[in-house]
Amino acid sequence: MAEIAFLGTGIMGVQMARRLAQAGHKVRAWNRSRDKAARLAEFGATIADTPAEAARDAEFLICMLSDGPTCDDVLLNQGAAAALAKDGIVIVMSSIPVDTAQAEAKACAALGKHYIDAPVSGGEAGARDGTLAIMAGGDTAEIARAKPLFEIMGRVTHVGPAGMGSLAKLCNQMIVANTIATVAEALLLAKRGGADPAAVRQAIIGGFADSTILRMHGERILKGDFKPGGPAKHQLKDCRTAIATAERAGLDLPVSALVRQLYEDMVAHGDGEVDHSGLYRELERRNGIG
Amino acid sequence: MAEIAFLGTGIMGVQMARRLAQAGHKVRAWNRSRDKAARLAEFGATIADTPAEAARDAEFLICMLSDGPTCDDVLLNQGAAAALAKDGIVIVMSSIPVDTAQAEAKACAALGKHYIDAPVSGGEAGARDGTLAIMAGGDTAEIARAKPLFEIMGRVTHVGPAGMGSLAKLCNQMIVANTIATVAEALLLAKRGGADPAAVRQAIIGGFADSTILRMHGERILKGDFKPGGPAKHQLKDCRTAIATAERAGLDLPVSALVRQLYEDMVAHGDGEVDHSGLYRELERRNGIG
């Protein structure tokens, strides 16, 4: 059984850390608000006072903090990465920009530590049930070492060198945003054109137009239930990061750029806290409806 | 068992007519090239010399001809609709514009006949196996009368009054086009950003970004296999019809309008006969790649 430092035990992190502890690993958890980590004691985890204390001589450090700057601070400024055992692996499972992950990988290498960026998709339910989609960037050998841990949390795919897990996550978020916009436009056309949009959705499920977004977010759109879920402001952040990443790669991605603008409009019109499927409302607003 | 005129026995029509005949219905088939209808004789269908002869005193007329003008000509100019039994139902399963379907419904009503537009999704395999998604527009009572026939061909959903089956099909095609563009942009970003695009696709299948297009067309994009399938020129025709329909409804649908333009570019650059997933190549061209 491995010694694992687990940093960041929020809504998803606490579930992931619990599964690792219940599988018999020696989990040392740290969270900025200690009470969120304390819940893990009953599953056999120990609670650390600082990130470096959690990481001391551990083989693995899993980071599920809120964003890139927080990961940077905890791993590098607060000395968590340096505290790991020789050949220790830092695994950042937060969603962070590609260039942040690449810079962290370099900084860890300078400390003699390995680095994997392995962001996830699947939400709280996926974290709880161990069914997360895990997109891992890093060296093949290190990902193989970490695989027993990943398999407790979900299904891992090695998508390239360090940073590429974050790129895969970005592609995922970009597809989600564009597909929401697509489903919203189709359901709006169905409704305004005189069809029963709920029946149209039912009719096309199972065919070429089928998608998880049509099934899940399509239903929210039809019910007008835009309680988040994933708030539009987070979707917008992902869209901005995706377009900035595309621009650095010298790529013009016109559909994604347009959908980013639609989320800019949605947030500018005050719907930042609304579920991202509420882009339907932005389309109505654009068309003077409602 | 019902008497059914079946007009148009091309790739899909012949399979649909065969299933109806094999279920024991009295099918009278007509096709412009008679040999394509003649294949149905072995399943018990009779072959008619004209559309009106096929339709004479039948209870149902199913139309699976190539486009709206051909349906108009055969149903109205060549007298097939008028030849039906009293209370007969014309069922147009071709993909035709919404306003064509609405005009045909009116013309049939003037002849004392009922009308359902019921385009399908699912391709040749769906037609062969009786698993088509059938989007039906028309009166509830007539769709109920036709339901035993629809169930031999697939799964029917009543989406609204006459014309709305065609609108639902258009929504379906619009989602297909936009999702192809979305998947193409994501895979291009994955590749140019340094990830393994095939691994990225594998990683995100099963999550929120999942879609039939990601699974099927995503694989074609990765293999560079753009043999049609659904040629881009047909996708462009659908995109144009969708945008024209939206405009008539007073709707600005920005993502769909942009994707239509991308297909315009693709066809203008000589890729009209390439599979619609070849939009990936148009994105590469736009970015000076390949």
Side-chain angles (χ1 to χ4, degrees):
Chain A
M1 290 295 121
E3 289 191 21
I4 306 169
F6 203 107
L7 311 183
T9 55
I11 291 173
M12 293 184 65
V14 74
Q15 300 287 349
M16 295 155 74
R18 172 187 57 75
R19 294 188 62 86
L20 291 166
Q22 286 184 310
H25 291 290
K26 292 180 189 159
V27 173
R28 291 201 295 273
W30 172 83
N31 197 71
R32 201 180 40 166
S33 322
R34 192 190 163 98
D35 59 315
K36 286 192 183 167
R39 297 173 288 176
L40 288 163
E42 63 172 301
F43 303 106
T46 57
I47 315 305
D49 286 325
T50 68
E53 184 193 315
R56 186 83 56 225
D57 296 324
E59 184 182 359
F60 298 100
L61 183 166
I62 296 178
C63 199
M64 195 60 191
L65 296 158
S66 59
D67 57 21
T70 309
C71 291
D72 276 356
D73 181 52
V74 164
L75 291 174
L76 303 172
N77 299 343
Q78 298 194 43
L84 282 180
K86 186 172 172 296
D87 272 334
I89 309 179
V90 170
I91 306 171
V92 173
M93 302 188 77
S94 313
S95 293
I96 62 175
V98 174
D99 50 356
T100 301
Q102 289 169 332
E104 286 177 355
K106 265 192 194 167
C108 286
L111 296 168
K113 315 299 176 191
H114 302 286
Y115 182 90
I116 298 168
D117 64 319
V120 301
S121 173
E124 187 181 1
R128 184 190 62 221
D129 301 338
T131 58
L132 293 168
I134 303 170
M135 298 152 253
D139 291 341
T140 304
E142 311 313 323
I143 290 172
R145 269 175 70 198
K147 196 165 184 184
L149 307 191
F150 286 137
E151 286 178 341
I152 293 166
M153 297 181 279
R155 181 176 67 88
V156 66
T157 310
H158 183 192
V159 295
M164 294 302 103
S166 303
L167 182 64
K169 179 71 193 288
L170 217 48
C171 292
N172 185 82
Q173 299 305 86
M174 202 171 94
I175 292 177
V176 167
N178 295 9
T179 310
I180 286 174
T182 292
V183 167
E185 289 194 2
L187 292 178
L188 187 57
L189 177 60
K191 188 176 177 188
R192 284 280 285 213
D196 172 355
V200 170
R201 173 175 160 279
Q202 274 305 329
I204 66 183
I205 278 180
F208 284 136
D210 202 356
S211 64
T212 305
I213 297 296
L214 178 67
R215 289 172 184 252
M216 294 184 58
H217 299 71
E219 192 172 19
R220 285 188 214 158
I221 289 170
L222 291 168
K223 286 184 177 162
D225 173 12
F226 299 127
K227 177 167 40 69
K233 66 180 183 183
H234 291 167
Q235 183 72 71
L236 173 58
K237 193 189 77 171
D238 291 335
C239 288
R240 285 176 174 162
T241 309
I243 293 304
T245 305
E247 282 172 357
R248 265 197 304 278
L251 282 180
D252 166 27
L253 302 179
V255 176
S256 305
L258 172 61
V259 171
R260 186 202 64 161
Q261 187 56 51
L262 294 176
Y263 276 107
E264 297 279 4
D265 297 345
M266 178 177 175
V267 172
H269 290 138
D271 277 353
E273 302 294 339
V274 169
D275 189 69
H276 50 170
S277 58
L279 193 67
Y280 183 82
R281 289 205 331 207
E282 181 57 31
L283 279 173
E284 286 189 325
R285 191 181 287 124
R286 184 186 184 98
N287 281 286
I289 304 168
Chain B
M1 291 293 121
E3 289 192 23
I4 306 169
F6 202 107
L7 312 183
T9 56
I11 292 173
M12 293 184 64
V14 73
Q15 300 288 348
M16 295 155 73
R18 173 187 56 75
R19 293 188 63 86
L20 291 166
Q22 286 184 311
H25 291 290
K26 292 179 188 160
V27 173
R28 291 201 295 274
W30 172 84
N31 196 71
R32 201 179 42 165
S33 322
R34 190 189 165 97
D35 59 315
K36 286 192 182 165
R39 298 172 288 176
L40 288 164
E42 63 173 299
F43 303 106
T46 57
I47 316 305
D49 286 323
T50 67
E53 183 193 315
R56 186 82 57 226
D57 296 325
E59 184 183 358
F60 299 99
L61 183 166
I62 296 177
C63 199
M64 195 62 190
L65 297 158
S66 59
D67 58 21
T70 310
C71 290
D72 276 355
D73 181 53
V74 165
L75 290 175
L76 304 173
N77 298 343
Q78 298 194 43
L84 282 180
K86 185 172 172 297
D87 271 333
I89 309 180
V90 170
I91 306 172
V92 174
M93 302 188 77
S94 313
S95 292
I96 61 174
V98 174
D99 50 355
T100 302
Q102 289 169 332
E104 286 177 356
K106 264 193 195 168
C108 286
L111 296 168
K113 316 297 176 192
H114 303 284
Y115 183 90
I116 299 169
D117 64 320
V120 301
S121 174
E124 187 181 1
R128 185 190 62 221
D129 301 337
T131 59
L132 293 169
I134 304 169
M135 297 153 255
D139 291 340
T140 304
E142 310 314 323
I143 290 173
R145 268 175 71 196
K147 196 164 186 187
L149 308 191
F150 287 137
E151 286 178 341
I152 293 166
M153 297 182 277
R155 180 176 66 89
V156 66
T157 310
H158 183 194
V159 295
M164 295 303 102
S166 303
L167 182 64
K169 178 73 192 286
L170 218 48
C171 292
N172 185 82
Q173 299 306 86
M174 203 172 93
I175 292 178
V176 166
N178 295 9
T179 309
I180 286 175
T182 291
V183 167
E185 290 195 1
L187 293 178
L188 188 57
L189 178 59
K191 187 176 177 188
R192 284 281 287 214
D196 172 355
V200 170
R201 173 176 160 278
Q202 275 304 330
I204 66 183
I205 278 179
F208 284 136
D210 202 356
S211 65
T212 305
I213 298 296
L214 178 67
R215 290 173 182 250
M216 295 185 57
H217 299 71
E219 191 171 21
R220 285 188 214 159
I221 289 171
L222 291 168
K223 287 184 174 161
D225 173 11
F226 299 127
K227 176 167 42 70
K233 66 179 183 183
H234 290 168
Q235 183 72 72
L236 173 58
K237 193 189 76 171
D238 291 336
C239 288
R240 285 176 174 163
T241 309
I243 294 302
T245 305
E247 282 172 357
R248 264 197 305 277
L251 281 180
D252 167 26
L253 302 179
V255 176
S256 305
L258 173 61
V259 171
R260 186 202 65 163
Q261 187 54 52
L262 294 175
Y263 276 107
E264 297 278 3
D265 296 347
M266 176 177 177
V267 171
H269 291 137
D271 277 353
E273 301 294 340
V274 169
D275 188 69
H276 50 168
S277 58
L279 192 68
Y280 183 81
R281 290 205 330 207
E282 181 57 33
L283 278 174
E284 286 190 325
R285 192 181 286 122
R286 184 184 182 101
N287 282 286
I289 304 168

